[in-house]
Amino acid sequence: MVGHPKSDEPVFLPFDHGEFPDFVSRYPDREFYCGSLLGGCGKRLSAKRCTSRKCHFAHHPPVRCRRTANNESSADHLYIGQAFKRWLQQHGQRDATVTYDLIDADSGGCVTISFDRDRRTVRVQWDRMEWKSWLAARKNLNRRTRGKADWVYGPDSMLAHNEVDAADYALRVQCRTSGSTREVQIGTQVPGHTIEWTTLDHCRLADGKIVTPSLEETTTASKCAAHVPHRPRRRRLQPLQPLRPLRRLSTFDRSRSN
């Protein structure tokens, strides 16, 4: 983390030693910390340039840190929270705030971005959550925001298929390394299709909801289908039955018919 131990601004140290000078030039104060939002100890770190192995951050001795996740994805929840905050601010939501709830067992670990005077919410469900707890949380959040809450599901949430069943689609999120940062990608999951991935700058905010390009296409297709004129179903004609040959009248029948 940059600045102080409780910062939510992550920093990505490139593994290649050739990129190290450019990295440190962007952070002249070199105030790097083992952040508490990463499960770290809060102590100061040093950026180490290595030629025989990956560049990395190192604690100052003595080391008494219990942080278990140290891979490149360990700060993805922070990249995601900051990406949503910037995106919302670019869409006029200057009061967007981010909270990280990564400890409470009932939440399963989530990132919550609130905006529009706390009347709109994006909840990123990061880890797995009990199904009944998810149902209750989804109901409560929808009630509080009057249906203007977006649930976005991380790779390990195991709940996206439940959202598809409930809302006909689910928003997904993942991060990929891009240069000296982690790029946040948004996915759209709909029944019978693979997840379509894009970035937030290709999405728009409509009535407090996230609209991805895939959702735009789905909505347009639905509107077009609704305006197709209804063609009456053609009635299937029954085949004509063959005429029965007339019975030849006998002398008795002819006398009765007169």
Side-chain angles (χ1 to χ4, degrees):
M1 310 304 297
V2 179
H4 56 87
K6 295 183 179 180
S7 168
D8 63 348
E9 183 183 349
V11 61
F12 186 87
L13 176 60
F15 297 140
D16 188 349
H17 69 91
E19 300 178 42
F20 190 87
D22 181 61
F23 170 80
V24 295
S25 67
R26 296 198 304 272
Y27 303 98
D29 295 335
R30 301 193 184 188
E31 291 190 8
F32 307 124
Y33 294 87
C34 185
S36 57
L37 289 175
L38 298 175
C41 60
K43 301 297 183 181
R44 196 158 182 171
L45 302 174
S46 294
K48 297 293 185 180
R49 183 179 185 177
C50 301
T51 56
S52 58
R53 56 186 181 135
K54 294 178 181 179
C55 298
H56 62 280
F57 289 109
H59 286 82
H60 295 178
V63 180
R64 296 187 180 88
C65 184
R66 297 183 179 180
R67 180 182 171 188
T68 56
N70 294 287
N71 55 23
E72 62 181 351
S73 64
S74 61
D76 281 356
H77 56 290
L78 303 180
Y79 283 104
I80 289 168
Q82 291 301 305
F84 272 110
K85 181 179 179 179
R86 288 193 302 270
W87 179 75
L88 287 167
Q89 290 176 340
Q90 291 167 2
H91 284 76
Q93 303 298 329
R94 300 297 180 183
D95 64 341
T97 58
V98 187
T99 56
Y100 303 91
D101 186 2
L102 306 174
I103 301 176
D104 188 357
D106 291 335
S107 73
C110 67
V111 179
T112 303
I113 305 96
S114 301
F115 59 101
D116 190 16
R117 290 180 289 182
D118 205 32
R119 293 180 298 188
R120 302 287 186 267
T121 298
V122 176
R123 172 163 171 158
V124 181
Q125 189 60 41
W126 194 242
D127 294 321
R128 191 168 185 174
M129 186 180 187
E130 185 185 18
W131 182 70
K132 289 184 179 180
S133 298
W134 170 76
L135 281 179
R138 190 176 185 276
K139 182 178 179 180
N140 292 336
L141 190 56
N142 283 339
R143 184 190 301 116
R144 182 172 65 82
T145 61
R146 296 183 179 181
K148 303 300 182 183
D150 270 318
W151 284 71
V152 186
Y153 296 92
D156 300 321
S157 66
M158 305 293 288
L159 286 166
H161 62 285
N162 297 106
E163 184 70 29
V164 172
D165 291 340
D168 293 329
Y169 75 94
L171 295 176
R172 306 291 299 271
V173 67
Q174 66 180 9
C175 293
R176 291 290 182 267
T177 298
S178 177
S180 59
T181 188
R182 294 281 285 172
E183 180 185 69
V184 176
Q185 299 180 343
I186 302 300
T188 308
Q189 180 176 338
V190 295
H193 293 76
T194 57
I195 301 173
E196 297 287 340
W197 293 100
T198 187
T199 52
L200 276 171
D201 58 313
H202 290 99
C203 301
R204 67 184 182 92
L205 186 67
D207 195 22
K209 303 277 285 183
I210 301 169
V211 181
T212 65
S214 295
L215 290 178
E216 293 273 19
E217 294 175 4
T218 302
T219 303
T220 302
S222 300
K223 288 180 178 178
C224 291
H227 286 84
V228 173
H230 175 69
R231 294 182 179 179
R233 185 177 180 183
R234 291 184 178 181
R235 185 177 179 182
R236 185 176 180 181
L237 299 177
Q238 298 294 329
L240 295 175
Q241 297 294 328
L243 297 175
R244 297 177 62 184
L246 295 175
R247 183 171 59 88
R248 186 175 181 180
L249 296 176
S250 62
T251 305
F252 176 75
D253 291 330
R254 287 198 297 269
S255 64
R256 291 188 61 185
S257 60
N258 292 333

